[in-house]
Amino acid sequence: MGRWWQLVLRLWTVVPIWAGDELLDVCMNTKHHKREPGPEDQLYDECTPWKDNACCTASTSWEAHLDVSLLYNFSLIHCGLMMPGCEKHFIQAICFYECSPNLGPWIRKMDLAGPGERILDVPLCQEDCEQWWEDCRTSYTCKSNWHGDWDWSRGKNRCPARAVCHPFPHYFPTPADLCEKIWSNSFKASPEGRNSGRCLQKWFEPTQDNPNVAVARLFASTAPPWEVSYSLLAFSLYLSFLS
């Protein structure tokens, strides 16, 4: 039994190293993501920052820019015309979600029994949330959580019955509300700024290096992947029961 406990202790020691490797340069397991990131020199418009290493294809990047995205049949203009500056932020957020290979530390399984994955609490930089909210103040929506409860009876999302269209600040009083509520806590409003190295930018200039690479490496080094840590915990408890 002593040998087993020595093995467990050694595994707990190296798990953070494994975590750092496994959470870097990865793509989510979803319908539109590639299995592995790689160069995509034909990415469209707002998705071009990820052209050197992307989890999206050129086709996905183009579909992300449509008024009714073919990716999810989702319309951003469900309450009438959205202001161009506001729409641009949402397209950038979609490109960030579909194309970024730097979301590994925040990827979670949708269902422990299934293959689907999502992101949770990705720390967006303070400036990103503030500018997004500011540029959407005069645009309209009818819901604070866009992940569900839409009327899909005509094939695309429409406001549910009795949901009233209001300017964004009605449903999102603060920049943090917008970042965190819009897609069920996929994003988290970080108090850190873009130059801190402790938050992710949902968009960056295509001519600059990807600033999110170093941030993902920092966060990956602090926590082991859930499935590995859970397995080791279960094994440890099992040994405790035997002893």
Side-chain angles (χ1 to χ4, degrees), residues 31-47:
K31 181 177 180 180
H32 302 292
H33 283 80
K34 293 160 50 177
R35 294 187 64 180
E36 296 180 352
E40 293 285 344
D41 59 3
Q42 298 297 318
L43 293 187
Y44 188 70
D45 203 4
E46 300 298 334
C47 293

Side-chain angles (χ1 to χ4, degrees), residues 122-134:
V122 173
L124 288 190
C125 296
Q126 184 177 35
E127 299 94 325
D128 290 62
C129 291
E130 289 178 347
Q131 196 61 55
W132 190 356
W133 184 82
E134 186 64 34

